Amino acid sequence: MFVPDDRTVGSAWSSFDRLRLKPGDTGTVTRIDQDIYLYLDDDRGGFHWECFKKAA
């Protein structure tokens, strides 16, 4: 489940809206680029790994 890191909500949130991602969404990581960028299924991606935190 996607849970944005606390810093992400204030600084990069518009990027998530544009790429169709919101808290509570689920998806499969289909690619990791340059060891830091996550790409999800449905062509959603390019998210820096620090934008996420582990969901409870």
Side-chain angles (χ1 to χ4, degrees):
M1 177 186 314
F2 170 64
V3 180
D5 179 86
D6 295 336
R7 295 169 299 189
T8 303
V9 173
S11 63
W13 196 249
S14 61
S15 299
F16 291 104
D17 286 342
R18 181 176 51 81
L19 295 170
R20 306 176 328 271
L21 186 65
K22 62 185 180 304
D25 283 353
T26 59
T28 302
V29 174
T30 56
R31 185 175 72 162
I32 300 173
D33 188 30
Q34 299 175 28
D35 292 329
I36 57 174
Y37 296 104
L38 302 178
Y39 288 80
L40 305 177
D41 52 350
D42 298 337
D43 271 342
R44 296 177 289 169
F47 307 110
H48 196 278
W49 70 270
E50 289 182 334
C51 293
F52 300 88
K53 65 183 177 183
K54 185 176 179 178

